[in-house]
Amino acid sequence: MPLTEITIDDIESLAVGAWVLGTGGGGSPYLGLLNMRALYKEGYRVQLMPASELADDDWVAAVSNMGAPLVGQERLTDSRTIARAVDLMERHTRYRFRGIMALEIGGGNSIQPLMAAAHLKRPVIDSDMMGRAYPEAQMTSVAVGDLEPCPLTTVDVRGLESVVEKVPTWKWMERVSRKICVEYGSIASTCKAPRTGAEVKKWGIHGTTTKAIAIGHAVREAQRTHGDPIAAILSVEPGKVLYKGKVIDVERRATEGFLRGRTRFDGMEEWRGAAMEINFQNEWIVAWLDGTPIAMSPDLICVLDSVSGEAVGTETIRYGQRVTVIALPPPPVFLSPKGLQHVGPRAFSYDIEFKSVFA
C-alpha cells in the first residue's frame, strides 16, 4: 500500500496552497496549522494515500468544519474535536474507516482530515469533493452524483453531539445541519455521510491535497527567492489574472451560519480607473468589473495579496490591502448541466448565465 508521510514542511505548504484554493472561504488554515505543528512536535505523524488504492468496499470518512469563517477566527480550533466527529460516526454506523478525506480542499478544511488522522492513526486520502471551498452541503461532487446525503455527525468543543440519521435530499441535509450549526454558535466539526472506496474513486476529485501542497510550495519558494508569487502560482496552475487593485470598502455580516457580503476595489496599474466588486457567501461567488460580471462560480475566484501571493479570506480582507484577483479552472464535474445546477451563479440566487473565464 503506497503511503507517503506528510512532512511538516508539506503541511506548511498545504496551508498556503489550500488558502488559495479556498476562494476566500473554508476558514483560515492558520489555526489548523498551529494544531499540526503542535501535534508533530508531540510525535504524531500523518500519511497520504491515493484514492486509487482504496478497495471498493473500504469506508472513508469525509470531514469539515461547518459555519461562518468569521466565527472560526474567534473560537480556537482543537484537533480532538474533528476526531470526535469521526469517532461518533464510527460508533453510530459501526464502520471502521480505512482513511479520512477532506470534504473541501479549500482553506482550513484542508487540514481538518490531518488533525483527525493524527489522533485516529488513519491515512488521509488524497482527494476531496469540491476541488475548492463551497458554503453548502449540496455543493459537492457526490451530491452531483446523487449519492446518499446521510448520516451526518456534528460535535463541538463543549461536548455537544448530534446525528442526522435521515433526510430526503442534499438540500434538506444543508437546511437541517445548518440549523444545528447555528445553535452550536455558527461553528461546528462534522463528519459527512460515509463513502465507500468505489464511490470515492468514481466521484472524488483526486490529487487535491498534492495540488494544494504544490501551489503552497511555489508561493513559499517565490517568497524565499524574492520572486513573483502570483507568477509562481500560475506556473503550476493554468489560471488567469483578472485584476489588480486596492480594497476601498468591505461590507459583511454573519447570518444563518454564513458570512455574506461584498468587497469593492479601486484599480491599479493597467486597471487604474476600473472598479471591481466581488460578492461572497463564505467564498467569492461573482466578480463584477465596472458593473459587468466577469467571473463567477464554479470558476475559482482567488483574491491574493499582491506582495506575498498568499490568499485573502472573506473574513480577513480589510480596507487598503493591495490585491491581485486571479481565476483558476474548476473541476469538470461542476461544468456539466447538473453540476451548474448545484454550484452555478443561479444556485446562489444570481440571475446570470454562467460564462467561464476559460471559455
Side-chain angles (χ1 to χ4, degrees):
M1 188 72 71
L3 300 177
T4 305
E5 184 168 304
I6 303 175
T7 68
I8 192 62
D9 189 70
D10 290 334
I11 298 171
E12 299 281 345
S13 293
L14 174 63
V16 174
W19 204 203
V20 174
L21 293 175
T23 64
S28 169
Y30 182 64
L31 296 176
L33 174 60
L34 294 182
N35 273 261
M36 292 309 301
R37 286 174 180 169
L39 288 170
Y40 267 54
K41 281 185 180 178
E42 294 170 16
Y44 291 89
R45 292 295 182 269
V46 178
Q47 294 179 310
L48 191 64
M49 174 181 172
S52 59
E53 294 301 321
L54 288 166
D56 286 353
D57 58 354
D58 282 338
W59 286 102
V60 177
V63 300
S64 75
N65 262 1
M66 183 179 192
L70 189 63
V71 180
Q73 289 294 291
E74 298 170 351
R75 181 178 288 180
L76 300 183
T77 301
D78 182 340
S79 61
R80 292 167 294 188
T81 309
I82 193 66
R84 280 179 44 230
V86 178
D87 177 67
L88 177 58
M89 184 64 81
E90 285 196 321
R91 286 186 280 119
H92 178 70
T93 61
R94 300 184 181 178
Y95 301 149
R96 177 173 172 81
F97 292 120
R98 176 67 185 88
I100 301 169
M101 66 185 287
L103 175 76
E104 58 184 8
I105 195 58
N109 275 331
S110 66
I111 300 181
Q112 294 294 319
L114 277 69
M115 293 192 289
H119 286 288
L120 299 173
K121 296 180 171 54
R122 318 289 169 82
V124 170
I125 308 302
D126 190 8
S127 302
D128 79 308
M129 299 175 183
M130 295 183 181
R132 47 167 293 165
Y134 277 120
E136 299 187 29
Q138 74 279 9
M139 297 175 175
T140 64
S141 58
V142 294
V144 173
D146 288 324
L147 302 189
E148 187 69 26
C150 49
L152 168 121
T153 60
T154 307
V155 307
D156 85 342
V157 292
R158 294 165 295 187
L160 294 168
E161 295 186 350
S162 303
V163 178
V164 179
E165 172 61 26
K166 190 70 176 175
V167 291
T169 66
W170 281 98
K171 190 63 178 177
W172 267 108
M173 175 57 81
E174 168 60 31
R175 291 175 64 180
V176 172
S177 60
R178 187 69 52 177
K179 291 296 185 184
I180 294 171
C181 178
V182 170
E183 289 301 316
Y184 279 19
S186 288
I187 198 76
S189 294
T190 70
C191 183
K192 309 299 185 182
R195 302 269 70 102
T196 65
E199 289 172 335
V200 172
K201 285 184 284 190
K202 181 174 181 179
W203 289 103
I205 299 167
H206 303 306
T208 48
T209 301
T210 301
K211 174 191 280 194
I213 291 171
I215 293 171
H217 177 77
V219 171
R220 294 173 67 216
E221 183 64 15
Q223 292 170 345
R224 187 184 68 82
T225 59
H226 305 290
D228 180 347
I230 309 297
I233 293 171
L234 299 180
S235 72
V236 295
E237 284 296 306
K240 293 183 178 180
V241 175
L242 301 179
Y243 187 81
K244 291 184 180 180
K246 180 180 74 171
V247 180
I248 59 171
D249 186 42
V250 180
E251 173 192 315
R252 59 183 158 222
R253 64 196 186 280
T255 174
E256 299 176 320
F258 299 109
L259 186 66
R260 302 177 189 268
R262 62 178 186 167
T263 304
R264 293 191 296 124
F265 309 85
D266 191 28
M268 301 174 65
E269 299 180 14
E270 64 188 271
W271 290 273
R272 188 173 299 279
M276 176 172 276
E277 177 179 309
I278 310 182
N279 295 16
F280 58 86
Q281 179 185 329
N282 288 5
E283 288 76 35
W284 310 113
I285 303 302
V286 180
W288 313 75
L289 186 63
D290 291 332
T292 300
I294 64 162
M296 63 201 72
S297 172
D299 283 353
L300 282 68
I301 302 169
C302 309
V303 179
L304 311 172
D305 184 284
S306 292
V307 176
S308 71
E310 297 194 22
V312 181
T314 57
E315 79 274 32
T316 59
I317 197 163
R318 65 183 189 278
Y319 176 84
Q321 282 180 308
R322 268 67 171 174
V323 301
T324 299
V325 182
I326 68 169
L328 298 176
V333 66
F334 295 127
L335 294 174
S336 66
K338 180 81 178 291
L340 289 173
Q341 288 177 15
H342 284 256
V343 300
R346 288 195 170 91
F348 296 93
S349 301
Y350 294 96
D351 189 18
I352 302 171
E353 193 70 32
F354 172 69
K355 182 179 179 181
S356 176
V357 171
F358 305 95

